[in-house]
Amino acid sequence: MFTIKVYGREITMDVTNSVSKGVFVFKNGAARAKGRKKAQRYNSLLDAATTNQLWFRSYTKNWERSQKMIQKLQTSSYSKIRNDLYAFIEQCHQKLDSYEGVLPTAALLTGINQTDHLSQFEKLAEDIGNNTLALVVLLQSREASSVKQAIETIVGKFIESHNQICGANDEPSEQKKFRKNQLNLSLLDAWYADRFKKYEQKVKFVIILPDFELFNPLVLQDVLLILDAHSHASLLPLVLVFGVATSITTIHNVLPYHVTSKIKLSIFQSEPSVTNLNNILDEVLLTPYCPFHLSGKAFQLLLDIFLFYDFSVNGFIQGYKYAFTDHCYGRSINALSSIIDDNDDLVTIIGELSAAEFEQIRQLPSFRPYIESLPNPQDVVDLLTDDAHLKRALPAMLLRVHNYWFTFHCALKILLTLVSDLPKAPLGKQLRELYCQCVSADVTQLAEFKECLQLLSFLSKEEMLQKVKDVLTVILAFIRRNDQLSMQGCLVYDVVPLEEMAEELVKLSDELTVAKHEQIFENVQQEQPCLLSPGMGRQELREKLLTAAKHTNKNESGVTRAVGRITEFMVKDIFQRYLQPATPQNVPLIELFLYDDCASMRRHIVGAPRAAVHTALNNPQYYTQCDCCLLEESTSIVPTLPDLSIAYKLHLECGRLINLFDWLQAFRTVIDDAACMDSEEKQIDPTIQARFTRAVAELQFLGFIKTSKTKTDHVTRLTW
């Protein structure tokens, strides 16, 4: 029993009486556990039967390898700007003349949609606290809705982060000694003087604003002015870090001159999203050491989403991961594309395949052209009927595909070296642009390729020699990488074609080195065929005369001839041979390595909310998978459908204006047809009317209808 006073009157109530119903907890004297139990890590939602399958083990192994390489690249690109920030924080308060009267401020330009903007700054705050003598506070815009809240958050977090410096836990409840209304800069000043007066070097107070653009400008201006005034009065070593996602002009647009005059900006530029993605593609995904490749259309879809929608590197990687998962899911034969450490691993994987999976290999579109190309009929019969013979033939076939990707990517890098810096870049400047074209079609037949050849013929002797030198560097890098894999005991690619390329290019470059610019005159003295023939037209005769005139007195310089021979060698012996598109006619078993289901990727990655909402309302059984919502026809309406679905399908039968009373009558007819047949004048059941009202409100919330201004008893339909 307890007593409360309401408007001067005392009322006695039982402890479990309440205005609203609720659950009351009575302590039974049990002691509360001092510490919380640690949550156990759950690695996967899949059962053991799935995780033990060959396709899942292969997918997990290869994706973890690719993910580690991506993280290593991102860490290396992040380390440079991190080290520059360390130096800035350490030195900003050592030179008092440089920052006298102003706050040292670093503006970190991250670019829009980095891998994860907030987590990037959380990692940065952790690294600064671990590698510099500083206390770090991460102040987000949602924690600074007012000046008071911002100051309280800054002071409270500084006191809580004291253990980062001292490393002691002797007073774990120190932050609880102060009430929230006591957290101000004066308290911080006194706390700093008490805690860090014994340090010879000043401990910096670093305040990081990760989402600078989202702060309230007026609040931010007042906070900066207060911090500046207090730092000069108390000599607190404050350092500010602004996380700017757009450009440096944003700071000047948000902060007026009387605020910017109180800070001294140092700008740090991180890699843009496009540069970050290009590095990941060049070093990880578009290499022969990646077990999975996208077709031209699928790869272009991911690029379009990245370039025209969000510039999110993380989104691109997740889209690539979805394609990899979809490619591997449920098909153990796709595990044959794994990066194999040695031939024994390949034989082990092949040994796990069943007879049905060998039959799946025979059903691949690229298997038939390979069978038809075999000269021995007995080999054809054995491959089609004998699983043991196919098992013995698979390692060589798979190694042939690996070698195809090895020479393909080498030739692709060579082409990029030649055409990336040409005027207007007809084929593109990035590896991703060339990949989309080369993996889909024969690039040597494109008009842009012929334009590039024409531009290459205009290069000077020195420029062409530099091009050849760069090409040799690319070839030697591939050969060196293969040697490293060989020393590690991994799969060794066939480098003989690359060595032949290098030897021939060295000979041709030597010829170009000694070639001179003097013209070489050649009089072709040979018997020409008779130009005139019976029935020859005037146009044909004109073309023959022009051709004969060109070959009669052919003059060119030695440099031009040498450049032409280099260009011809690259076209015929490199690009036409090794840059053939990845089609079933060209490469057997290419389907195991290449994913081309662009429609599935678009359906799962590119959202179509309008179509999804229409499907859910028009045919709920598509998502609910329940028998009560099963429809014989898509236009039929049954009373077991959800109320919202019934109202939606009825509104599709109306015009622009919908009479609410008629709509309600139709809704009642579907819900309770028997009651309507007894008496149409009978008053509508309040329950049915309430259900209809709720369905109409939900349709209005979804944007299908709106209230009509001309007729109060009508609503206007918004979709057609």
Side-chain angles (χ1 to χ4, degrees):
M1 304 288 290
F2 65 96
T3 303
I4 62 174
K5 184 176 291 186
V6 180
Y7 295 111
R9 298 177 58 188
E10 292 185 355
I11 301 176
T12 302
M13 300 183 64
D14 190 77
V15 292
T16 56
N17 286 342
S18 175
V19 177
S20 61
K21 294 182 179 180
V23 179
F24 298 88
V25 180
F26 296 90
K27 294 184 178 180
N28 57 4
R32 183 179 179 181
K34 294 184 178 180
R36 295 181 178 179
K37 293 183 179 180
K38 293 184 178 180
Q40 296 181 356
R41 184 178 178 183
Y42 198 73
N43 294 326
S44 176
L45 296 176
L46 304 176
D47 54 7
T50 302
T51 56
N52 290 332
Q53 292 185 23
L54 178 60
W55 69 266
F56 185 83
R57 288 187 279 115
S58 173
Y59 159 75
T60 305
K61 174 185 175 182
N62 288 287
W63 179 249
E64 287 179 352
R65 177 181 298 183
S66 300
Q67 194 173 27
K68 287 180 181 178
M69 297 173 67
I70 292 173
Q71 291 175 351
K72 184 178 179 180
L73 270 180
Q74 292 177 336
T75 302
S76 62
S77 64
Y78 164 71
S79 61
K80 184 180 184 303
I81 191 172
R82 180 186 58 190
N83 295 334
D84 293 342
L85 275 174
Y86 292 165
F88 169 78
I89 293 172
E90 291 287 352
Q91 299 173 6
C92 61
H93 282 284
Q94 293 178 358
K95 302 177 181 179
L96 298 179
D97 297 338
S98 302
Y99 295 96
E100 186 175 359
V102 293
L103 284 174
T105 305
L108 179 56
L109 303 180
T110 59
I112 59 174
N113 285 332
Q114 282 290 340
T115 308
D116 192 333
H117 190 84
L118 182 58
S119 64
Q120 183 179 3
F121 277 95
E122 290 175 349
K123 182 67 167 59
L124 178 63
E126 181 183 354
D127 292 342
I128 292 175
N130 294 333
N131 296 278
T132 63
L133 194 62
L135 292 178
V136 187
V137 162
L138 203 68
L139 180 66
Q140 300 182 42
S141 58
R142 57 184 173 85
E143 300 172 329
S145 58
S146 64
V147 177
K148 183 176 182 295
Q149 183 189 14
I151 297 298
E152 289 176 351
T153 303
I154 292 173
V155 176
K157 286 188 174 182
F158 270 134
I159 294 176
E160 291 176 6
S161 61
H162 172 240
N163 291 335
Q164 292 183 8
I165 294 295
C166 66
N169 295 322
D170 52 348
E171 295 183 5
S173 61
E174 179 185 5
Q175 62 271 21
K176 297 181 181 179
K177 294 180 180 180
F178 306 107
R179 294 191 301 270
K180 190 173 183 180
N181 58 1
Q182 293 178 327
L183 300 177
N184 52 44
L185 293 177
S186 299
L187 174 66
L188 182 64
D189 185 23
W191 180 81
Y192 175 78
D194 178 61
R195 287 291 177 181
F196 301 107
K197 59 183 178 182
K198 60 183 179 180
Y199 287 83
E200 297 180 359
Q201 186 179 355
K202 282 189 175 182
V203 178
K204 285 82 175 177
F205 280 9
V206 181
I207 304 174
I208 299 179
L209 282 62
D211 46 356
F212 179 84
E213 289 89 349
L214 299 181
F215 276 83
N216 186 332
L218 297 178
V219 173
L220 182 59
Q221 294 169 22
D222 292 340
V223 170
L224 293 180
L225 290 175
I226 292 173
L227 292 176
D228 175 71
H230 196 81
S231 64
H232 301 324
S234 61
L235 298 179
L236 276 177
L238 294 175
V239 182
L240 301 179
V241 178
F242 294 162
V244 183
T246 50
S247 65
I248 196 63
T249 57
T250 305
I251 298 178
H252 299 286
N253 294 335
V254 172
L255 304 179
Y257 174 75
H258 72 277
V259 179
T260 55
S261 62
K262 303 297 183 182
I263 62 177
K264 184 174 181 179
L265 276 176
S266 297
I267 302 173
F268 298 88
Q269 176 74 54
S270 64
E271 283 188 347
S273 298
V274 177
T275 305
N276 193 3
L277 178 65
N278 289 337
N279 292 337
I280 293 174
L281 293 177
D282 296 352
E283 301 296 332
V284 181
L285 302 183
L286 296 185
T287 63
Y289 319 110
C290 182
F292 171 71
H293 296 78
L294 291 174
S295 66
K297 290 184 178 180
F299 187 77
Q300 189 64 51
L301 174 63
L302 291 181
L303 281 181
D304 290 343
I305 296 173
F306 173 81
L307 295 174
F308 299 111
Y309 284 86
D310 53 11
F311 280 96
S312 174
V313 177
N314 187 50
F316 183 93
I317 295 174
Q318 294 304 317
Y320 189 90
K321 183 179 180 180
Y322 165 77
F324 193 15
T325 308
D326 191 32
H327 177 70
C328 295
Y329 177 72
R331 297 190 68 189
S332 295
I333 61 174
N334 289 333
L336 298 175
S337 65
S338 302
I339 298 297
I340 307 301
D341 293 335
D342 51 35
N343 288 331
D344 294 337
D345 291 345
L346 183 58
V347 173
T348 302
I349 293 176
I350 295 175
E352 294 187 36
L353 299 180
S354 62
E357 289 163 347
F358 281 116
E359 190 60 31
Q360 289 180 5
I361 295 176
R362 295 188 180 99
Q363 298 298 325
L364 293 176
S366 63
F367 194 78
R368 180 174 178 177
Y370 172 74
I371 289 294
E372 293 176 347
S373 65
L374 294 177
N376 189 357
Q378 186 60 40
D379 291 339
V380 175
V381 174
D382 292 340
L383 286 174
L384 292 176
T385 58
D386 188 1
D387 290 345
H389 186 81
L390 179 59
K391 184 183 297 185
R392 291 191 297 269
L394 275 178
M397 298 175 65
L398 293 171
L399 289 177
R400 193 177 300 119
V401 185
H402 280 291
N403 287 321
Y404 162 79
W405 287 118
F406 186 70
T407 53
F408 176 87
H409 283 284
C410 182
L412 189 66
K413 291 284 184 70
I414 292 174
L415 181 60
L416 177 67
T417 304
L418 292 176
V419 305
S420 60
D421 57 350
L422 292 179
K424 298 183 180 180
L427 282 174
K429 296 182 178 181
Q430 303 296 336
L431 184 66
R432 50 184 168 84
E433 298 172 306
L434 285 177
Y435 176 82
C436 288
Q437 301 182 68
C438 295
V439 80
S440 303
D442 188 357
V443 69
T444 59
Q445 302 300 321
L446 300 179
E448 294 84 354
F449 180 82
K450 297 176 181 178
E451 183 180 353
C452 289
L453 292 182
Q454 187 176 8
L455 293 173
L456 287 173
S457 65
F458 297 151
L459 295 180
S460 64
K461 176 181 177 180
E462 292 75 15
E463 291 173 335
M464 180 56 75
L465 285 174
Q466 184 60 41
K467 289 280 188 184
V468 175
K469 182 179 178 181
D470 295 339
V471 169
L472 288 173
T473 303
V474 171
I475 296 175
L476 293 177
F478 273 79
I479 296 176
R480 193 178 302 111
R481 175 59 177 163
N482 182 75
D483 295 339
Q484 293 176 357
L485 292 175
S486 177
M487 294 175 61
Q488 297 172 4
C490 299
L491 177 68
V492 179
Y493 297 93
D494 185 11
V495 296
V496 174
L498 274 61
E499 293 174 349
E500 293 176 352
M501 290 182 203
E503 292 176 0
E504 188 64 25
L505 284 174
V506 169
K507 294 179 183 178
L508 293 174
S509 62
D510 292 340
E511 292 181 10
L512 180 58
T513 303
V514 300
K516 298 182 180 180
H517 291 280
E518 287 79 8
Q519 291 186 347
I520 302 174
F521 294 93
E522 293 184 357
N523 293 324
V524 182
Q525 301 294 338
Q526 59 182 1
E527 294 184 2
Q528 297 289 345
C530 183
L531 296 178
L532 294 175
S533 60
M536 180 183 294
R538 182 178 297 178
Q539 183 65 26
E540 187 178 354
L541 176 61
R542 181 173 178 273
E543 292 177 357
K544 283 194 173 185
L545 289 173
L546 289 174
T547 304
K550 287 181 181 179
H551 290 281
T552 301
N553 295 315
K554 185 179 181 181
N555 56 339
E556 59 182 359
S557 66
V559 173
T560 304
R561 177 177 295 180
V563 169
R565 293 190 60 186
I566 292 175
T567 306
E568 183 180 4
F569 169 76
M570 289 187 177
V571 173
K572 292 184 177 180
D573 294 349
I574 297 180
F575 302 139
Q576 290 184 354
R577 181 179 297 180
Y578 301 115
L579 270 187
Q580 290 299 312
T583 60
Q585 289 72 26
N586 297 334
V587 188
L589 305 185
I590 192 62
E591 297 87 354
L592 304 180
F593 295 75
L594 193 69
Y595 179 81
D596 60 352
D597 194 354
C598 186
S600 176
M601 284 186 61
R602 185 183 299 275
R603 185 169 60 254
H604 288 86
I605 296 177
V606 181
R610 179 179 295 182
V613 170
H614 172 76
T615 303
L617 296 179
N618 193 56
N619 184 18
Q621 199 267 343
Y622 181 82
Y623 292 106
T624 60
Q625 298 296 315
C626 61
D627 298 334
C628 61
C629 297
L630 189 62
L631 303 177
E632 297 180 358
E633 297 181 1
S634 60
T635 57
S636 60
I637 306 176
V638 296
T640 55
L641 290 175
D643 295 343
L644 179 60
S645 178
I646 295 173
Y648 175 78
K649 301 188 75 170
L650 290 173
H651 111 286
L652 292 179
E653 302 174 359
C654 303
R656 189 177 67 88
L657 289 177
I658 306 175
N659 188 305
L660 285 172
F661 182 77
D662 296 341
W663 196 5
L664 174 59
Q665 291 293 340
F667 183 84
R668 186 181 70 156
T669 303
V670 174
I671 296 296
D672 193 5
D673 191 16
C676 296
M677 294 178 61
D678 294 341
S679 174
E680 295 186 0
E681 301 296 331
K682 183 180 179 181
Q683 186 178 3
I684 299 176
D685 186 1
T687 303
I688 296 178
Q689 186 173 357
R691 291 167 59 182
F692 173 76
T693 303
R694 184 175 62 179
V696 170
E698 290 174 349
L699 284 177
Q700 183 177 1
F701 175 75
L702 292 173
F704 289 101
I705 59 174
K706 71 175 183 178
T707 57
S708 176
K709 295 181 180 179
T710 57
K711 297 183 178 181
T712 57
D713 58 342
H714 286 66
V715 292
T716 304
R717 181 179 171 187
L718 299 178
T719 57
W720 295 92

